Amino acid sequence: MPTYTLAAIPAASHGSLISCSSPDRYRQTRIEAPDLAGIRAAVVEYGTRLRGDYPEASFLVSVTPERGSDHPEGFCDARWKGSLGTEQWIRVIPEETPFKAYLTQVEAMLAREVRS
């Protein structure tokens, strides 16, 4: 079964513009999913759990296939078109809020230990 890494990436939006932090990955987890529906369900579960632990955080969920792993038909297209549900935890911030400062705060939030 294909294996993927899900990771929270600090991100924020000014309307239609989305900005992400550095390529560091936060709160990685590995999943196995046979199809796009399984990936979507895992993304929702992961993002919902993180939102519960960090209600103020603004992030997207990256989905990275394990090297050499086959992924289901349509995966690349779904990832690029945003149909895996990876951006639903991105907050829209006021335009006067500097992205870099905001994302630094989110990075610090996600770097702390997750509540048990």
Side-chain angles (χ1 to χ4, degrees), residues 58-77:
S58 179
F59 60 93
L60 61 84
V61 176
S62 74
V63 180
T64 307
E66 186 174 276
R67 179 170 280 160
S69 178
D70 289 332
H71 41 269
E73 186 174 332
F75 171 76
C76 291
D77 196 39

Side-chain angles (χ1 to χ4, degrees), residues 18-19 22 41 48 50 64 67 76 85 95 99 113:
I18 295 174
S19 180
S22 64
T48 301
L50 279 178
T64 307
R67 179 170 280 160
C76 291
E95 288 194 30
F99 270 134
E113 290 298 316

